[in-house]
Amino acid sequence: MTAPHVPAPSELTTLRQRYRLERERRVRPDGAAQYHDAEAEFGYYAADPYTAEPTERGPLHDTVGVTVIGGGFGGILAGARLRQQGVERVRIVEKGGDFGGTWYWNRYPGVHCDVESHVYLPMLDETGYVPEWKYAPGDEIRRHAVRIANTFGLYADALFSTGVTALTWDEASEMWLVATDRGDAFRTAYVVNATGTLTDPKLPGIPGIEDFKGHTFHTSRWDYAYTGGSPEGGMTGLADKRVGVVGTGATGVQAIPMLAEDAAHLYVFQRTPSTVDRRDNRRTTAGDVGADHKGWARERRENFLRIVSGEAVEEDLVADRWTASAGLLEKLLPSFRRGGDPKAFEAAYEVADAAKMNELRARVEQTVTDPGTGEKLKPWYRYACKRPTFSDLYYPAFNRDNVTLVDTADTHGIERVTAHGVTTGGTTYELDCLVFATGFNVGTSGILSGRLPVHGRGGVQLLDRWARLGRRTLHGFTSNGFPNLIQMGPLQNASSVNFTHVLDEQAVHAAALVAAAEAEGALIEPSPEAEDAWIAALAEDAPDHEWFHAECTPGYYNREGRGRPNGPNSYPHGAVAFHRLLRNWRDTSMHEALRPRTAAPDPSGTH
Ligand code: NDP
């Protein structure tokens, strides 16, 4: 192997200039407003292509102990951890026709998780399941979600094809009233909100997008009735079709090689190329992953979390391209703390970043035979500016005669959709089918979207209060004025690329809060002082990454080029330290978040 090339100072200057130029080609004055909410504006996306008919049932007017909103991994893990705490009545309310969340909706061809399956799939120790591939296909992950739900008896009370539409605190009974789009109006002692982060599909506001007369869908609502086949391919319905795909993010990179195999012709409309590193997927045995003792999966995922959070480990158990590049991801995570001179650190960081990006650009050259196409596929930005992707199939797809790459950077994306295709850069591409791999509204699902109003004590609406006072929580989970409401997700805590690990720690915490409240006959409600202290703790050591993101190519990591705001959004010392903090707090201070009930506990509560 040749030694990695170390970029010289003059090369770094040239790169900086190139990166700035490429950013300027892409920044749009409308920023995030360029996107449209697919469900709100294109109603047909609300349909569920994977469940033909929702189960018939009448509206419910009963009482349950805990209501969990969302049946993805967050909600399932909350349910499982609550069961482990002895809570019997857990009602998970889920919009989809079954459990799985993102893995229920995303069934596009080629769908896999690019985080190692042995650390990504939660509760492997508890279920005894050992994945057989380093990177699992979406269907295996969805079936594992179902496995956990079955193991912990979560189907019994679950409501599928149902969306919660409002939560209202009833002062007299000290319970929440839950309203849904199926006419339910039931009471519950506790609510756990687990509505996910990337759930609402978005579409670009391309002029004429509504006029397209061919077939069209978003990748998270794949229409196999039209394409034929399955996530493994075999889309015979596309054999005589001209297909266009918009978007080359993590989804596009997985779906495009499959479309290339099956479509008569594939046009890939690219605005910004992703970084596409090696994936090296392979079969694994239990021996390969050390699945020979109790707790192996917990150890492995802790090891991965430590590495991607910048903490020292003796051995890299996962040893993949995430862990190899972990140091370069620090601009996404507040947790990387290095001693010494910050200038020297930044200089070393820039050299390492340039070396990595050179390696990835060289990868394009080594694979793509047409130099013009290869040039367009090269990413010109720093590694942490966009979500990294991994594929061994993506670049070879562009060597096929039936695949055309259309670069749309100069026109800030596709210029116009017409009745029969796409016009951009002065050329019209006639299409039978147009697939949008254009991602999701970020961080605005569930309560934060504003479409699920939450009225707490005194009828105060949660988002109104946060608009006035700023977002206020204790550890991201609970808020004063909103008793027994526990929020999961990335708000005011610490996240990681292995999001299921983060969710499981949150689920353990949520279940412990419920158990403590039940044991003491109390409500979970932090004081305003506890919220103040948490916000101060978040702000105290907040890192300054704003300048870095301000120079990045636009995307959802940096509010479409407007930069990444500093402030009390996440715990500055990272996920490993945050989980430690939660454990200590549960051992010593959990009573701080409890306050006495005034109403008698409901007899049909949690046990
Ligand atoms: P992204 O938001 O990451 O990508 C959207 C793509 O659409 C970008 O390439 C974007 O270009 C492009 N686009 C948007 N508007 C236009 C336009 N007007 N013209 C041309 N192109 C346009 O969505 P994804 O669905 O790919 O990924 C969402 C997230 O889901 C990921 O970041 C990841 O966290 C997760 N995911 C995880 C996977 C895993 O294996 N763990 C697999 C798939 C997804 P531009 O970059 O220029 O904005």
Side-chain angles (χ1 to χ4, degrees):
M1 247 174 71
T2 50
H5 164 69
V6 178
S10 62
E11 195 185 332
L12 293 178
T13 310
T14 312
L15 271 183
R16 260 180 249 144
Q17 286 163 352
R18 177 79 196 256
Y19 289 179
R20 205 159 298 142
L21 222 89
E22 294 287 342
R23 170 190 151 83
E24 279 159 19
R25 279 172 79 197
R26 292 179 174 84
V27 170
R28 295 169 49 133
D30 52 357
Q34 69 184 279
Y35 292 107
H36 295 259
D37 184 323
E39 187 170 324
E41 295 195 26
F42 299 83
Y44 55 89
Y45 283 108
D48 178 349
Y50 316 118
T51 298
E53 288 295 328
T55 315
E56 284 271 335
R57 65 172 180 85
L60 297 176
H61 301 282
D62 57 351
T63 300
V64 284
V66 187
T67 297
V68 178
I69 310 177
F73 273 122
I76 294 168
L77 290 166
R81 298 300 181 190
L82 282 160
R83 280 271 196 271
Q84 288 180 325
Q85 290 281 3
V87 178
E88 280 167 22
R89 296 294 310 279
V90 180
R91 174 171 291 162
I92 300 183
V93 186
E94 164 56 44
K95 277 188 185 170
D98 199 349
F99 287 118
T102 201
W103 301 104
Y104 176 85
W105 295 109
N106 284 282
R107 303 189 194 196
Y108 56 82
V111 59
H112 277 70
C113 184
D114 58 19
V115 176
E116 196 207 54
S117 54
H118 307 93
V119 298
Y120 183 79
L121 292 186
M123 292 197 134
L124 293 179
D125 291 314
E126 290 83 348
T127 56
Y129 183 65
V130 183
E132 291 179 354
W133 287 90
K134 192 159 176 75
Y135 302 100
D139 193 53
E140 179 180 348
I141 302 171
R142 192 180 57 75
R143 283 186 284 110
H144 186 64
V146 168
R147 178 179 297 116
I148 299 173
N150 276 320
T151 304
F152 291 91
L154 299 175
Y155 275 95
D157 273 315
L159 299 181
F160 295 112
S161 307
T162 304
V164 174
T165 52
L167 295 173
T168 309
W169 178 248
D170 175 43
E171 205 69 60
S173 63
E174 291 185 322
M175 298 192 102
W176 286 99
L177 306 178
V178 183
T180 78
D181 57 8
R182 300 281 296 268
D184 306 302
F186 57 84
R187 297 191 313 148
T188 189
Y190 304 89
V191 175
V192 178
N193 183 53
T195 43
T197 52
L198 295 165
T199 51
D200 297 336
K202 66 179 164 49
L203 293 175
I206 303 169
I209 190 169
E210 319 79 5
D211 301 335
F212 185 60
K213 298 259 186 299
H215 204 74
T216 181
F217 50 85
H218 188 272
T219 44
S220 68
R221 303 289 185 276
W222 198 270
D223 190 353
Y224 284 108
Y226 174 82
T227 63
S230 72
E232 284 84 51
M235 294 178 284
T236 49
L238 300 182
D240 58 349
K241 301 289 189 301
R242 297 157 301 180
V243 179
V245 58
V246 187
T248 53
T251 300
V253 163
Q254 292 184 349
I256 283 164
M258 309 295 283
L259 286 168
E261 283 270 329
D262 292 341
H265 200 95
L266 179 68
Y267 295 93
V268 177
F269 297 100
Q270 168 192 275
R271 190 166 62 182
T272 313
S274 285
T275 59
V276 188
D277 208 340
R278 292 196 331 256
R279 197 170 71 159
D280 299 333
N281 199 8
R282 54 189 178 273
R283 278 201 177 273
T284 49
T285 63
D288 293 338
V289 296
D292 55 3
H293 62 284
K294 204 166 180 292
W296 71 271
R298 178 181 304 273
E299 287 162 20
R300 197 171 176 90
R301 72 177 194 180
E302 278 297 337
N303 177 270
F304 183 81
L305 188 72
R306 290 188 76 83
I307 295 170
V308 295
S309 303
E311 305 226 356
V313 291
E314 279 183 8
E315 190 190 352
D316 176 356
L317 295 176
V318 169
D320 70 356
R321 306 309 285 171
W322 280 112
T323 59
S325 311
L328 295 175
L329 292 172
E330 75 173 273
K331 299 300 177 185
L332 298 178
L333 301 169
S335 56
F336 283 75
R337 303 257 138 212
R338 304 277 155 91
D341 174 16
K343 276 209 174 112
F345 167 70
E346 290 302 341
Y349 179 90
E350 188 177 13
V351 170
D353 189 283
K356 177 74 194 175
M357 291 304 290
N358 283 344
E359 173 199 319
L360 292 171
R361 286 186 286 264
R363 194 167 183 254
V364 182
E365 272 173 26
Q366 286 151 11
T367 323
V368 178
T369 47
D370 174 53
T373 305
E375 275 313 303
K376 291 181 202 160
L377 286 167
K378 286 183 186 171
W380 294 100
Y381 46 81
R382 288 190 181 197
Y383 187 67
C385 284
K386 275 198 159 331
R387 187 192 187 281
T389 76
F390 310 85
S391 172
D392 300 326
L393 308 174
Y394 184 67
Y395 290 140
F398 292 93
N399 292 335
R400 301 176 62 108
D401 292 338
N402 70 327
V403 176
T404 305
L405 178 68
V406 183
D407 188 66
T408 67
D410 284 329
T411 49
H412 301 283
I414 289 173
E415 284 172 283
R416 170 161 288 282
V417 177
T418 65
H420 303 291
V422 157
T423 301
T424 200
T427 306
T428 295
Y429 302 87
E430 300 244 318
L431 301 172
D432 302 297
C433 176
L434 185 53
V435 179
F436 288 99
T438 46
F440 304 86
N441 292 319
V442 176
T444 57
S445 62
I447 293 174
L448 293 179
S449 73
R451 293 196 298 273
L452 198 179
V454 181
H455 294 275
R457 288 191 192 280
V460 173
Q461 224 272 60
L462 181 69
L463 290 191
D464 290 347
R465 169 176 263 194
W466 284 1
R468 273 186 290 113
L469 305 175
R471 290 176 179 179
R472 296 178 57 79
T473 70
L474 174 59
H475 302 147
F477 293 98
T478 52
S479 293
N480 182 261
F482 300 85
N484 287 4
L485 170 66
I486 302 171
Q487 300 211 52
M488 296 174 66
L491 180 69
Q492 296 191 344
N493 51 47
S495 200
S496 160
V497 294
N498 189 13
F499 199 52
T500 52
H501 185 174
V502 169
L503 289 173
D504 197 17
E505 297 285 346
Q506 295 186 0
V508 166
H509 192 73
L513 282 169
V514 170
E518 286 292 292
E520 293 195 24
L523 297 175
I524 308 163
E525 187 177 9
S527 64
E529 293 74 26
E531 291 177 333
D532 286 341
W534 183 240
I535 289 163
L538 297 178
E540 194 182 355
D541 214 6
D544 180 5
H545 287 164
E546 192 162 6
W547 62 270
F548 175 85
H549 288 280
E551 297 205 345
C552 275
T553 189
Y556 72 83
Y557 276 7
N558 52 46
R559 297 183 301 162
E560 300 300 330
R562 287 170 60 216
R564 191 180 176 95
N566 292 317
N569 297 309
S570 55
Y571 184 63
H573 305 290
V576 175
F578 180 63
H579 298 160
R580 197 163 43 232
L581 177 145
L582 289 182
R583 280 194 293 274
N584 289 341
W585 183 85
R586 289 199 295 270
D587 287 345
T588 60
S589 315
M590 192 138 65
H591 62 272
E592 278 175 16
L594 302 180
R595 66 154 67 186
R597 297 180 68 104
T598 48
D602 191 277
S604 49
T606 47
H607 293 282

